[in-house]
Amino acid sequence: MPNSSFDFEYLRHLVREQSGVVLEPHKDYLATLYLSELATQAGFASLAPFVEYLKTSPLSHVHHQAIEALVIHETSFFRDRYPFEALQSCVLPALIAARAMQKTIHIWCAACSTGQEPYSVAMLIRENFPELSTWTVRIIASDFSQQALDRAEQGRYSSLEVERGLTPKLRDRYFYKTEQSWQIIHEIQQMVEFRPLNLIQSWSVLPKMDVIFLRNVLIYFDVETKRSILNKVQTYLQQDGYLFLGGGETTFHLDSRFEAVQGKTSLYHRLRSA
């Protein structure tokens, strides 16, 4: 597609208004990289008229396609490893003891992208906690991108995606090879509930959570949006629940109701005692 001048400020505004994500002013190359194909499919010769079309048209599926294309969906199985080690060695044993009467655990993977994080949680539970087979364990995974959720629900991954974070043992136990990809087995697939959810909109579809993974998400929001999201987190997190953020993320100076806890292998956050 030929290069042409386009209104990147409009795209920044559109993305921020609809998803809360802040695109840096100098990252206009993202539009060229990720929107060119979409513009061609829509019948435009370059980005400039495509962006003008978006500006002058009512919000539609095409706008959402553009937003999803511009928002990063980076993920991998057992990403960063340490939070999963903490889940196995500390968090789940503590919750099993605390929920012995109810026999119910709710885990939410927010901004799950194409599903590697919630499937990692499901595999970890299946591998290490056979006692939970008689419990109600809900792993809810959400994302604002329907395209990402569609892929996640399929549970189908390329060889490169499977190699990122999975040991051969886990791959061979929980996936089977198809002609062009690796398919996760039905037993793991059915452990995860996928649903659309925009973090800057209502979370009313969620129950109270025992564990929330909100990893590598807050870095894309401005300070006020971060505070707004953390405010909602404290409403949906059980008082004795656990919040996992990304390695470069913190609640410090954002919400004093949370405190950071250094576990054996990972830092996580909890609500302060009343």
Side-chain angles (χ1 to χ4, degrees):
M1 173 174 288
N3 290 325
S4 57
S5 178
F6 58 90
D7 190 348
F8 186 59
E9 280 305 307
Y10 164 75
L11 293 175
R12 294 183 65 227
H13 173 76
L14 177 68
V15 169
R16 182 171 182 172
E17 184 178 62
Q18 297 298 318
S19 72
V21 172
V22 178
L23 297 178
E24 298 298 329
H26 63 279
K27 292 193 174 181
D28 54 334
Y29 66 89
L30 291 174
T32 304
L33 187 62
Y34 295 122
L35 292 187
S36 293
E37 183 179 353
L38 183 59
T40 300
Q41 291 171 353
F44 294 91
S46 68
L47 276 181
F50 177 61
V51 174
E52 286 303 310
Y53 166 78
L54 295 177
K55 288 173 64 175
T56 56
S57 303
L59 192 66
S60 68
H61 177 61
V62 180
H63 291 81
H64 288 291
Q65 284 182 309
I67 294 164
E68 291 182 15
L70 288 168
V71 175
I72 296 172
H73 297 291
E74 173 66 19
T75 187
S76 61
F77 290 102
F78 293 96
R79 184 177 181 182
D80 302 328
R81 194 177 83 250
Y82 299 111
F84 297 96
E85 292 177 355
L87 189 68
Q88 178 182 338
S89 64
C90 172
V91 172
L92 281 174
L95 287 173
I96 289 171
R99 306 288 187 268
M101 295 296 292
Q102 305 97 317
K103 294 187 180 301
T104 299
I105 293 177
H106 289 159
I107 300 171
W108 176 30
C109 295
C112 72
S113 187
T114 46
Q116 285 92 324
E117 182 177 80
Y119 284 139
S120 297
V121 173
M123 286 185 278
L124 183 150
I125 290 173
R126 180 61 64 92
E127 279 284 293
N128 300 284
F129 299 94
E131 65 270 36
L132 291 180
S133 63
T134 60
W135 286 41
T136 299
V137 179
R138 294 182 65 189
I139 304 172
I140 297 174
S142 69
D143 201 276
F144 87 100
S145 169
Q146 189 58 55
Q147 183 177 359
L149 288 175
D150 289 343
R151 276 210 61 210
E153 287 185 311
Q154 291 171 4
R156 194 176 304 127
Y157 299 95
S158 68
S159 295
L160 179 61
E161 289 172 320
V162 166
E163 288 168 5
R164 292 187 64 196
L166 278 182
T167 63
K169 175 184 174 182
L170 289 177
R171 180 199 63 195
D172 294 341
R173 181 171 294 177
Y174 296 113
F175 292 77
Y176 61 89
K177 189 76 168 68
T178 65
E179 190 172 322
Q180 295 182 328
S181 61
W182 289 85
Q183 175 67 53
I184 201 160
I185 64 173
H186 178 68
E187 289 78 7
I188 298 298
Q189 202 170 9
Q190 69 179 0
M191 290 176 67
V192 183
E193 306 171 34
F194 291 101
R195 58 183 61 178
L197 188 145
N198 190 325
L199 289 171
I200 66 171
Q201 296 175 0
S202 171
W203 298 3
S204 59
V205 296
L206 297 176
K208 278 272 195 176
M209 292 294 167
D210 300 294
V211 182
I212 294 178
F213 283 85
L214 187 68
R215 302 175 59 225
N216 307 300
V217 182
L218 294 181
I219 53 174
Y220 298 110
F221 299 129
D222 61 27
V223 170
E224 288 309 310
T225 304
K226 291 176 184 179
R227 285 178 174 148
S228 173
I229 289 173
L230 288 172
N231 182 58
K232 288 195 281 189
V233 166
Q234 65 86 27
T235 301
Y236 282 88
L237 185 65
Q238 297 279 14
Q239 182 61 44
D240 60 347
Y242 300 80
L243 169 66
F244 285 96
L245 301 177
E249 297 170 326
T250 180
T251 62
F252 191 60
H253 289 320
L254 293 172
D255 196 320
S256 61
R257 291 167 294 187
F258 292 92
E259 61 180 348
V261 178
Q262 180 63 59
K264 291 181 180 179
T265 61
S266 179
L267 185 74
Y268 50 81
H269 292 79
R270 306 199 69 181
L271 290 168
R272 297 183 188 276
S273 301

